C-alpha cells in the first residue's frame, strides 16, 4: 500500500530501523516465486488521512452552492443577510424561520454549506444593531440545527475561518483561473467589495501555501531516513511558497479599504468570548440554559502557520501558545490532527543541526526567514487595517465627533485593542514573530566547522538515532 500511494522520494536504508525494508522470498527456481513481502515498521507520512487536497490544500474543493429544497428557508435568508441587516429585519426573518431537521444533510459538502449559511445568519442576528444592542439568546429554530451541524463537523457554532474562507467560494467561470477576477463568495456580510476582497485574498494566501503543505511529508520522511538531499529540496519548496503567501497577502491593500474593514466588517467577525460587548456569552436556546462563549474569526484559525511552526520547532510563549492551541478547536478536526501529528515527528531542527550540511542549514534558515517575513508583513497589514483606523476613531470620539460620515466611527470600541478572536492583537503578533526567530540556525555553527563543505561527519549513526527521538511539541 505504501508503494502504491506514490511515495517516490523515500530512501531505503537497511541501517535505519524506522525506514521501510523490502524482503523478497524466492522459492526453488523451478517453482513459482512467492509474493514480495513488504514490512514497514513505520509507513511514510502522508497527507491522505487528513483530508488535505493535492490541488487546494486546506481549502474545501468545489463547495456546494445549494442545499436540498427542504433547506431553502435557510438559504433564502443566508443569501440576503446583508440587505436584511441594513433594513434591520434580519432578526424578525430568522424568528419566523421554520425549525428544520438536519438529518437530510448527508455529505461533508452539504454540512459545510449548511454550517456556512447558519453561521452568517448567526453573526448577523447577534450584531444586527451593533455592539450596544446585542442579544442574549440565539432562537431555537437557528440554535438547534446550528448546534447539530456543528457537532457533526467537529466545528464550533460560530463563523470560523473554515467557513468564511475555506468553504465560501466559487468560480464565475468554472474553467477559468483561480484568481480575484474569477472568484466570488457564496454568502457575504456587510462591507461590499471590501468584505469580498478580505475573504478572497485570504483564500489566495491559502492557495499559495499548497506547495508548502505538499512538501511537509517529504521533509518528515526525509528526516526519518536521514535523506538530507530530499529534506533540502522540500524546504526550498516551502520557503518559496511562504514568499508566495506574502505576495498574495499584499493584495489586501488593493481589494480592501481599511476604513470599511475596521468600521463595518470587523464586528460581524466578532465572537462572544473575551468581548466586553457580550461579557456573558450567548445562550443557544434548546441546547442548554447557560450561556456559551466562542471566539470570533481569526487568522490563527488557519492551519497553515500552525503546521509550519510545528515543522520548524517554533515554541511560543505561554499566553500566545495557549491562544494558538485554543484556535485549533476552530479548525476541521482532520486539519487539527495533522498539526498534532506533525508535532510528534522527529525534530527537523535537530536533524539539520546533526547533519552539518551547509545546503540543508541554508534551506532551513531560509524557511525561518520567510516565515518571519510573512509574520512581519501581517503585522504591517494589521497596523494599516486596525491600529491606524482605531487611532482615528479615538480621535473622533475625543473631539466629540461621532459622525456616521466617518466610517471608522461606526466601529465597536470593544475591538480597538483586540483581534476578533479576542487576542491583544499587536503584542500577540510581535511575540509570535519574535519566537519564530528563536529557531534560527547560524550558518557557521559547530557542525559546519566540524565538517568542511557541509559533508556529514562520520560515525554519527547513534547520534542520528538520538536526534530522531526528539519531537516538535508545542
Amino acid at each position: 500500500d505504501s508503494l502504491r500511494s506514490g511515495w517516490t522520494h523515500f530512501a531505503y536504508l537497511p541501517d535505519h530501523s524506522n525506514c521501510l525494508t523490502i524482503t523478497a522470498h524466492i522459492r526453488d527456481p523451478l517453482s513459482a516465486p512467492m509474493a514480495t513481502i513488504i514490512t514497514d515498521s513505520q509507513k511514510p507520512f502522508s497527507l491522505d488521512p487528513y483530508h488535505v487536497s493535492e490541488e487546494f490544500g486546506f481549502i474545501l474543493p468545489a463547495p456546494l452552492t445549494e442545499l436540498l429544497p427542504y433547506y431553502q428557508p435557510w438559504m433564502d435568508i443566508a443569501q440576503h443577510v446583508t440587505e436584511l441587516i441594513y433594513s434591520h429585519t434580519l432578526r424578525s426573518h430568522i424568528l419566523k424561520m421554520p425549525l428544520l431537521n438536519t438529518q437530510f444533510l448527508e455529505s461533508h459538502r452539504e454540512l459545510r454549506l449548511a454550517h456556512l449559511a447558519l453561521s452568517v445568519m448567526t453573526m448577523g442576528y447577534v450584531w444586527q444593531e451593533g455592539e450596544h444592542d446585542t442579544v442574549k439568546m440565539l432562537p431555537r429554530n437557528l440554535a438547534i440545527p446550528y448546534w447539530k451541524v456543528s457537532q457533526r463537523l467537529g466545528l464550533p457554532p460560530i463563523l470560523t475561518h473554515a467557513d468564511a474562507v475555506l468553504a465560501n467560494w466559487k468560480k464565475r467561470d468554472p474553467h477559468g483561473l483561480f484568481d480575484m477576477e474569477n472568484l466570488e463568495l457564496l454568502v457575504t456580510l456587510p462591507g461590499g467589495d471590501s468584505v469580498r476582497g478580505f475573504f478572497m485574498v485570504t483564500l489566495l494566501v491559502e492557495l499559495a501555501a499548497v506547495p508548502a503543505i505538499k512538501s511537509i511529508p517529504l521533509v518528515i520522511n526525509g528526516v526519518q531516513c536521514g535523506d538530507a538531499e530530499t529534506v533540502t529540496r522540500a524546504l526550498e519548496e516551502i520557503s518559496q511558497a511562504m514568499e508566495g503567501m506574502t505576495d498574495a497577502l499584499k493584495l489586501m491593500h488593493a481589494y480592501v479599504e481599511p476604513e470599511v474593514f475596521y468600521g463595518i466588517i470587523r464586528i460581524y467577525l466578532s465572537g462572544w468570548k473575551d468581548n466586553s460587548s457580550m461579557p456573558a456569552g450567548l445562550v443557544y436556546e434548546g441546547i442548554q440554559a447557560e450561556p456559551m462563549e466562542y471566539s470570533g474569526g481569526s487568522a490563527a484559525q488557519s492551519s497553515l502557520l500552525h503546521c509550519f511552526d510545528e515543522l520548524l520547532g517554533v515554541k511560543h510563549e505561554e499566553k500566545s501558545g495557549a491562544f494558538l492551541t485554543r484556535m485549533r478547536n476552530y479548525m476541521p478536526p482532520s486539519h487539527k490532527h495533522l498539526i498534532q501529528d506533525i508535532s510528534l515527528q522527529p525534530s527537523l531542527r535537530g536533524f539539520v543541526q546533526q547533519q552539518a550540511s551547509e545546503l540543508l542549514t541554508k534551506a532551513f534558515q531560509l524557511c525561518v526567514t520567510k516565515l518571519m517575513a510573512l509574520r512581519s508583513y501581517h503585522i504591517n497589514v494589521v497596523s494599516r487595517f486596525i491600529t491606524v483606523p482605531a487611532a482615528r476613531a479615538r480621535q473622533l470620539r475625543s473631539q466629540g465627533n461621532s459622525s456616521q460620515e466617518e466610517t471608522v466611527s461606526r466601529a465597536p470600541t470593544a475591538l480597538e485593542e483586540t483581534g476578533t478572536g479576542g487576542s491583544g492583537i499587536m503584542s500577540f503578533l510581535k511575540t509570535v514573530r519574535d519566537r519564530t526567530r528563536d529557531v534560527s540556525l547560524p550558518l557557521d555553527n559547530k557542525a559546519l566547522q566540524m565538517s568542511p563543505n557541509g559533508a556529514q561527519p562520520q560515525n554519527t549513526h547513534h547520534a542520528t538515532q538520538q536526534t530522531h527521538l526528539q519531537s516538535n511539541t508545542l
Side-chain angles (χ1 to χ4, degrees):
D1 288 343
S2 298
L3 295 177
R4 286 197 298 269
S5 68
W7 172 247
T8 59
H9 298 277
F10 213 84
Y12 295 94
L13 305 176
D15 60 335
H16 283 264
S17 60
N18 56 347
C19 293
L20 289 177
T21 57
I22 299 179
T23 307
H25 298 276
I26 306 297
R27 291 180 177 177
D28 183 273
L30 297 179
S31 62
M34 292 177 60
T36 298
I37 300 174
I38 301 177
T39 62
D40 56 349
S41 56
Q42 180 168 330
K43 289 184 178 181
F45 190 89
S46 168
L47 296 176
D48 292 344
Y50 306 103
H51 301 105
V52 178
S53 164
E54 282 283 313
E55 184 178 0
F56 296 108
F58 294 117
I59 299 169
L60 179 68
L64 295 181
T65 58
E66 296 290 342
L67 294 173
L68 294 172
Y70 174 76
Y71 297 106
Q72 196 58 40
W74 290 353
M75 299 306 296
D76 285 342
I77 295 177
Q79 291 172 340
H80 297 91
V81 161
T82 298
E83 304 97 291
L84 295 173
I85 287 174
Y86 285 144
S87 65
H88 301 274
T89 59
L90 177 61
R91 288 177 182 172
S92 61
H93 274 76
I94 288 176
L95 290 171
K96 297 173 186 175
M97 189 173 68
L99 174 57
L100 302 181
N101 195 315
T102 61
Q103 67 178 348
F104 307 114
L105 298 168
E106 297 180 352
S107 72
H108 179 76
R109 283 183 173 84
E110 287 176 321
L111 289 167
R112 291 289 290 273
L113 179 56
H115 198 270
L116 172 62
L118 295 167
S119 293
V120 295
M121 282 192 277
T122 296
M123 304 311 271
Y125 188 89
V126 170
W127 300 113
Q128 174 181 291
E129 302 301 329
E131 65 176 328
H132 300 300
D133 187 13
T134 57
V135 296
K136 295 183 178 180
M137 180 182 294
L138 201 65
R140 62 188 300 112
N141 56 345
L142 176 54
I144 291 175
Y146 194 18
W147 180 265
K148 290 182 177 179
V149 169
S150 298
Q151 290 293 298
R152 289 174 66 181
L153 285 171
L155 291 171
I158 192 169
L159 183 71
T160 68
H161 175 83
D163 302 305
V165 176
L166 302 182
N168 189 21
W169 66 275
K170 68 177 179 180
K171 287 184 175 182
R172 290 168 175 158
D173 175 4
H175 305 292
L177 298 175
F178 199 106
D179 61 16
M180 288 297 294
E181 286 66 37
N182 195 39
L183 289 170
E184 62 182 48
L185 299 173
L186 303 181
V187 297
T188 190
L189 288 164
D193 289 340
S194 285
V195 78
R196 172 187 172 271
F198 179 70
F199 290 143
M200 293 289 92
V201 169
T202 308
L203 183 71
L204 292 180
V205 173
E206 290 276 348
L207 186 70
V210 172
I213 299 302
K214 289 166 61 175
S215 295
I216 288 176
L218 301 181
V219 172
I220 291 173
N221 292 316
V223 170
Q224 290 280 5
C225 286
D227 186 350
E229 184 178 347
T230 292
V231 175
T232 300
R233 289 197 304 267
L235 288 176
E236 290 169 348
E237 186 76 21
I238 291 173
S239 63
Q240 186 174 353
M242 288 177 179
E243 185 172 353
M245 292 168 65
T246 303
D247 290 340
L249 185 57
K250 292 176 182 178
L251 294 173
M252 200 70 76
H253 300 292
Y255 290 96
V256 185
E257 296 181 35
E259 294 78 11
V260 174
F261 176 77
Y262 184 79
I264 298 176
I265 298 172
R266 283 188 85 218
I267 191 170
Y268 296 101
L269 307 179
S270 305
W272 25 99
K273 179 178 174 62
D274 302 324
N275 189 338
S276 59
S277 296
M278 297 183 66
L282 181 68
V283 173
Y284 289 73
E285 186 182 21
I287 303 302
Q288 70 176 42
E290 296 76 24
M292 290 184 270
E293 295 183 327
Y294 293 101
S295 297
S298 169
Q301 293 173 6
S302 169
S303 301
L304 296 175
L305 299 195
H306 291 257
C307 287
F308 299 151
D309 281 346
E310 296 295 1
L311 186 70
L312 298 174
V314 178
K315 306 264 191 299
H316 294 291
E317 60 88 27
E318 185 176 1
K319 185 177 179 181
S320 298
F323 175 77
L324 288 168
T325 300
R326 182 161 61 83
M327 288 297 99
R328 296 179 184 181
N329 296 326
Y330 292 73
M331 302 173 185
S334 59
H335 299 170
K336 174 184 176 180
H337 293 152
L338 172 60
I339 298 165
Q340 293 172 334
D341 287 350
I342 292 172
S343 76
L344 299 175
Q345 303 305 311
S347 168
L348 167 63
R349 188 172 186 271
F351 173 78
V352 173
Q353 288 177 300
Q354 190 279 327
Q355 287 291 302
S357 161
E358 183 176 5
L359 290 177
L360 177 59
T361 304
K362 283 183 177 179
F364 177 89
Q365 185 55 35
L366 186 59
C367 279
V368 176
T369 300
K370 295 296 183 181
L371 182 55
M372 285 180 57
L374 175 59
R375 284 181 156 144
S376 293
Y377 194 81
H378 186 216
I379 290 172
N380 292 336
V381 171
V382 168
S383 177
R384 185 178 180 215
F385 285 83
I386 297 177
T387 307
V388 173
R392 174 61 178 162
R394 285 192 295 269
Q395 180 186 34
L396 290 172
R397 280 202 310 276
S398 67
Q399 296 171 349
N401 180 0
S402 58
S403 170
Q404 289 296 300
E405 295 178 4
E406 288 271 7
T407 303
V408 293
S409 67
R410 307 182 204 175
T413 57
L415 294 177
E416 283 185 353
E417 302 298 334
T418 63
T420 48
S423 65
I425 191 161
M426 291 304 285
S427 60
F428 165 75
L429 293 175
K430 289 177 180 178
T431 300
V432 167
R433 179 197 58 191
D434 293 345
R435 284 303 178 102
T436 306
R437 183 187 294 114
D438 292 346
V439 299
S440 296
L441 287 176
L443 294 178
D444 59 346
N445 58 45
K446 292 181 180 180
L448 290 179
Q449 294 172 2
M450 291 166 54
S451 176
N453 302 320
Q456 181 176 346
Q458 299 299 312
N459 303 320
T460 60
H461 173 66
H462 296 295
T464 301
Q465 296 300 327
Q466 290 299 316
T467 300
H468 286 168
L469 296 177
Q470 300 176 22
S471 174
N472 291 327
T473 54
L474 180 67

